[in-house]
Amino acid sequence: MLSELDAREYTNVRDLSLMLAASAHDQDAFCPSLPSVIARLNPTHLRTLTLGFSLFRPTNMYWTFVAWPALDAALAALHARSPATLVVFRMAFVPAAGLSETLTADVAGPLIENLPAALGAGTRIGVRCDLFDQLTGVALRQGALRWLAANG
């Protein structure tokens, strides 16, 4: 369980990837402990934090899978402790969802709206949308990384 992870113990980690999967039926936050784990990170050597979310399909996406105000505050605090750390949101969808040319832009807008403090503090945040095979977890097609800006 992520909530049991003592992130302070991992002082030499340079790249940390947390991959989280949503339930197809539950629209509530599926990882309420994520902001507190980020808040407890020792970012001494941390260069990249990748937050991966398996979300099934992008259409009619519910943006309740994370407690956004708490995550925004945790990312802003992480930036204050380690300004060089990059944050990448990797949104993974099943093949039936398709990977349109505008998907990353469609996902970027709500991220910008939900992360005003982190972006306003200057946190370098990127987003990438991928298609993945549910059975194997292998990426079938990777989208391009798009860097977010506080002003859109």
Side-chain angles (χ1 to χ4, degrees), residues 33-94:
S33 58
L34 179 61
S36 64
V37 168
I38 292 171
R40 291 190 314 260
L41 281 175
N42 179 335
T44 304
H45 300 287
L46 187 63
R47 294 296 161 245
T48 306
L49 171 63
T50 300
L51 302 176
F53 298 96
S54 297
L55 297 169
F56 294 98
R57 58 185 155 285
T59 55
N60 299 323
M61 216 167 99
Y62 294 98
W63 285 92
T64 57
F65 58 90
V66 169
W68 290 104
L71 182 59
D72 187 30
L75 291 175
L78 177 66
H79 177 74
R81 295 189 322 269
S82 180
T85 298
L86 305 174
V87 177
V88 175
F89 282 82
R90 179 179 172 246
M91 306 302 213
F93 301 103
V94 297

